[in-house]
Amino acid sequence: MGLSECEREVLQILALNASHHPFASLLSSVRDAVDLTAEEIVAVALARSLREVRETLSPRNTLVRSGLVETEGRGMLMSNQLGFDLLGDLASELVGRMESAEPVFSAFFRPMPEPEGDQMALAHLEQPLARLRALLGQAASQNVPGVNILLYGPPGTGKTQLVRRLAQELGLEGREVNHETPDGTPMDAPHRQRAYQLCQYLLRRASRSLVAFDEIEDVFGQDPLAALFGNTRRGPRTGGKAWTNQMLEDNPVPAIWITNHPEQLDPAYLRRFDFTLEVGHPPRSVRRALMARACEGLEVSDEWLDHMAGIEGLTPAEIQRSARVARLLDQAAHGESAESVITDHLSEQAELQGRPPLAMPRANAALEYGLENLNTEGDVDSVLEDLVVAGSGSLLAHGPPGTGKTALAHHLARRADRPLRKRTGSELISPYVGQTEKNLARAFREARREGAVLLLDEADSFLTDRSGARHSWETTRTNELLVQIEAFSGILVCATNFLQALDPAALRRFDHKLNLRPLTMEQRVRLFERLVERLQPVDASDGCATESARATVQRLDDLTAGDFATVVRGHTRRQGTGELTQEALAEALAAEQRLKPGAGRRAAGFA
């Protein structure tokens, strides 16, 4: 560490004071018996001048600056009467014979492990990772001080593995600040802070090094005692602002900080990071590749992989663990299929973490959603292409229930290879004044952070016409959503069954508007043929029965794709029983139409 002779002597006496009880008692007795400060006692014991000792223990010099020694001036409760504390169990490591220096520091940080061998490239992070590699490579080669990187995102998205892979690819000597002591006890925030300082100091002369600090809420998070007593001002739990400035501006070695909760960090600290990267939930294509890679050697179908890739919020860690469970059970000849084991495992994880349950394939998936089943004015494909290419924009989809508004949003998200975040009125509207506005702002913020397509279903619940508002909260709710739409830089889809209920000002906020209407006669016939092909009624090959059923379907002017999906779900169990006929399917569709508002009314004029 390059300590001076006086610094070594001070470190020795502090180590003895912490580890040798008779000597500690002697120093304590001396301090009680005479009117001397701790520095004066150390100076007498070492036959050094008071000025030398004070200079050695000043915050700007090595012992304190490196984190080896903590002084009572930092506001800490000292464990001895001298008023100085050594870092962790450093005293016990320093006393006695040492074969190498490694055991001294292993309690505080460790060499960065190799990344897991089955890690694959994450296509959605390719561009920011290329910038990060270049930045770290130059900073490490040129020994540029004060370089700090922030990685954030949900747990299980591979942030730690990503850091290890970066260090390996760049040939950097990486160190990770420990979470716990060698005996398994969690390290408290002050000790982790000082361990980081020590690691930085030790590596300051080394070339091409990197320090990683995970769970940085320990350092940057709000002090829980301050919050308990009503002080909601955020700030570092230990060290104060001066130490934070030193930590983020004067560090000699590039540092990567990792957190699951960036919202807990004060903006004053966030702005000091040179580079920030969100490692969020991977998009569908990456989830598909991760799932296929994890399930190599297991008997899974491409159709199943396609469906599992559609599960939003699925993380690489969950995929790896579920595949490992399936592989172990397969080796034990347990008898269950890998698909069943992985599906059950992921379903339990979703329930445990409070996420929506896994959506299993339903009958409407068997009808193979396609844009040809949408009846709307204009070219739908060009509208979607504009949104995908631009990566931003807003779409208002309106029309009767079942015409495919929600399915259109799912199709758009898959086409853009982005996650879909669906929010409904029941999720966002709150009975408490002001809470709905906060929920709306949070929905947009989360979608922006994840790069997701945001679907606001039942948009008429939020964009009500302000001219008819009877309460102030009705107006503020609409105002908030209009502001969010204007500021949103991603892709937004709003769906409503009641276009006339929307505020006129809201219509101007949407770049594209699509009126989804009931199916045309050609679309109805085409879907009915697909329905017959899917369910295989007993008279599927009977031409007369086909013509009769088709004629019935042609007369049902208000049918939607959702009606066909409902009939599939209601008749799938009867498939192969010998009871299902084409006329029964046509009658089921007619029954769906009779349930619609205004059914049975005849339009004026000629048909």
Side-chain angles (χ1 to χ4, degrees):
M1 291 193 65
L3 299 180
S4 67
E5 182 180 358
C6 184
E7 288 170 334
R8 292 197 299 272
E9 290 181 359
V10 169
L11 189 62
Q12 288 171 359
I13 198 171
L14 293 180
L16 288 172
N17 181 60
S19 61
H20 194 273
H21 182 68
F23 183 68
S25 298
L26 170 63
L27 293 183
S28 178
S29 299
V30 169
R31 188 172 187 182
D32 290 340
V34 296
D35 187 18
L36 295 176
T37 65
E39 290 92 344
E40 289 172 331
I41 293 176
V42 172
V44 171
L46 298 179
R48 293 275 183 179
S49 70
L50 180 60
R51 181 177 180 179
E52 281 183 295
V53 172
R54 284 179 173 171
E55 183 69 16
T56 299
L57 290 171
S58 70
R60 64 178 178 271
N61 283 328
T62 303
L63 291 183
V64 177
R65 187 182 181 91
S66 67
L68 283 174
V69 175
E70 183 85 1
T71 67
E72 58 186 358
R74 296 282 292 275
M76 299 295 296
L77 181 64
M78 296 295 107
S79 60
N80 61 78
Q81 293 193 27
L82 274 183
F84 306 107
D85 258 351
L86 290 183
L87 175 59
D89 295 327
L90 183 63
S92 60
E93 296 291 346
L94 289 176
V95 174
R97 183 178 299 275
M98 290 181 293
E99 299 298 331
S100 71
E102 189 67 28
V104 177
F105 305 116
S106 62
F108 313 114
F109 49 84
R110 59 175 181 170
M112 190 174 291
E114 296 288 325
E116 294 179 1
D118 56 354
Q119 292 293 302
M120 61 178 291
L122 301 177
H124 63 301
L125 298 177
E126 184 176 346
Q127 182 180 19
L129 283 180
R131 293 177 181 172
L132 182 53
R133 289 189 192 95
L135 174 63
L136 283 176
Q138 290 299 312
S141 299
Q142 300 178 22
N143 295 321
V144 178
V147 174
N148 291 277
I149 314 297
L150 176 66
L151 295 189
Y152 65 97
T157 50
K159 298 182 292 297
T160 302
Q161 291 298 324
L162 185 58
V163 173
R164 293 172 181 174
R165 193 170 69 190
L166 284 170
Q168 183 185 64
E169 291 172 351
L170 294 170
L172 302 180
E173 181 183 0
R175 293 289 189 275
E176 293 181 354
V177 178
N178 289 350
H179 299 88
E180 57 185 21
T181 61
D183 62 0
T185 304
M187 290 179 64
D188 58 22
H191 281 172
R192 294 197 71 208
Q193 166 191 317
R194 292 167 62 189
Y196 169 81
Q197 290 178 265
L198 179 59
C199 186
Q200 281 282 349
Y201 197 85
L202 282 171
L203 296 176
R204 72 192 188 282
R205 296 192 183 96
S207 61
R208 301 193 64 77
S209 297
L210 177 68
V211 179
F213 196 122
D214 204 349
E215 298 181 10
I216 64 173
E217 306 85 60
D218 287 350
V219 173
F220 294 101
Q222 180 179 328
D223 189 338
L225 289 178
L228 182 64
F229 290 102
N231 182 6
T232 58
R233 183 180 60 85
R234 289 175 294 181
R237 294 183 180 179
T238 58
K241 183 158 288 189
W243 179 83
T244 304
N245 292 341
Q246 172 194 336
M247 182 176 60
L248 292 178
E249 294 177 0
D250 301 332
N251 50 300
V253 178
I256 296 183
W257 305 81
I258 305 172
T259 180
N260 299 332
H261 306 288
E263 66 278 359
Q264 295 184 7
L265 311 185
D266 193 294
Y269 306 127
L270 290 175
R271 66 180 178 82
R272 295 180 182 274
F273 289 100
D274 301 281
F275 190 94
T276 61
L277 174 61
E278 179 183 11
V279 186
H281 295 297
R284 183 189 182 94
S285 61
V286 175
R287 293 197 300 270
R288 175 63 163 80
L290 288 171
M291 184 66 76
R293 175 77 173 270
C295 293
E296 285 181 356
L298 297 174
E299 293 187 10
V300 296
S301 66
D302 288 338
E303 293 77 13
W304 179 83
L305 287 173
D306 289 338
H307 171 67
M308 299 305 288
I311 300 173
E312 301 293 346
L314 201 58
T315 66
E318 289 175 326
I319 292 173
Q320 293 288 343
R321 291 192 187 96
S322 63
R324 181 177 62 183
V325 171
R327 189 167 282 108
L328 291 173
L329 291 177
D330 185 59
Q331 294 170 356
H334 189 65
E336 290 186 89
S337 69
E339 293 181 358
S340 174
V341 171
I342 294 176
T343 301
D344 290 345
H345 181 275
L346 294 178
S347 297
E348 292 167 359
Q349 282 296 314
E351 182 177 356
L352 184 65
Q353 298 177 39
R355 298 201 307 261
L358 266 61
M360 302 312 296
R362 298 187 72 190
N364 53 345
L367 292 176
E368 298 179 2
Y369 175 85
L371 297 181
E372 69 275 7
N373 296 326
L374 295 182
N375 179 18
T376 183
E377 295 179 358
D379 186 357
V380 179
D381 190 71
S382 63
V383 170
L384 300 184
E385 187 65 18
D386 287 345
L387 293 170
V388 171
V389 172
S392 63
S394 55
L395 167 64
L396 175 63
H398 60 94
T403 49
K405 299 182 292 296
T406 302
L408 178 64
H410 282 273
H411 177 82
L412 173 59
R414 287 194 299 270
R415 188 161 169 173
D417 197 18
R418 295 187 179 205
L420 179 73
R421 289 289 171 263
K422 179 182 177 182
R423 296 293 181 264
T424 63
S426 60
E427 295 175 288
L428 299 177
I429 295 177
S430 171
Y432 301 104
V433 176
Q435 188 60 46
T436 299
E437 289 82 351
K438 293 181 180 179
N439 293 342
L440 284 168
R442 183 171 64 250
F444 278 88
R445 185 169 60 250
E446 291 173 350
R448 185 182 298 109
R449 188 170 63 236
E450 298 175 8
V453 174
L454 177 60
L455 168 61
L456 291 183
D457 210 354
E458 307 165 9
D460 47 279
S461 302
F462 315 105
L463 291 172
T464 52
D465 191 342
R466 289 169 291 183
S467 62
R470 291 181 294 178
H471 304 283
S472 61
W473 51 265
E474 295 177 286
T475 300
T476 57
R477 186 167 64 192
T478 300
N479 291 342
E480 176 64 29
L481 185 50
L482 293 177
V483 170
Q484 292 293 339
I485 292 175
E486 287 282 355
F488 189 51
S489 57
I491 300 177
L492 169 69
V493 179
C494 286
T496 178
N497 301 333
F498 305 102
L499 179 66
Q500 65 278 10
L502 268 60
D503 190 280
L507 299 178
R508 299 194 302 271
R509 301 302 202 280
F510 293 98
D511 306 315
H512 306 279
K513 306 171 190 66
L514 288 176
N515 178 17
L516 278 64
R517 300 170 297 200
L519 299 169
T520 65
M521 181 186 298
E522 292 76 11
Q523 290 172 327
R524 295 197 298 271
V525 172
R526 184 170 59 246
L527 275 181
F528 185 75
E529 292 172 351
R530 199 176 297 174
L531 193 66
V532 171
E533 182 182 353
R534 167 68 177 84
L535 296 180
Q536 288 295 307
V538 292
D539 57 352
S541 59
D542 187 338
C544 293
T546 300
E547 287 300 323
S548 175
R550 183 179 298 173
T552 300
V553 172
Q554 289 175 340
R555 293 193 296 269
L556 303 176
D557 295 332
D558 293 332
L559 283 184
T560 66
D563 296 326
F564 281 86
T566 300
V567 171
V568 174
R569 290 195 297 269
H571 291 76
T572 299
R573 293 190 183 127
R574 295 170 57 186
Q575 186 177 358
T577 63
E579 303 174 358
L580 191 60
T581 65
Q582 294 185 73
E583 191 59 39
L585 293 177
E587 178 55 34
L589 290 170
E592 291 297 323
Q593 173 154 313
R594 287 193 295 269
L595 293 174
K596 298 179 184 294
R601 298 177 185 171
R602 294 184 59 87
F606 297 94

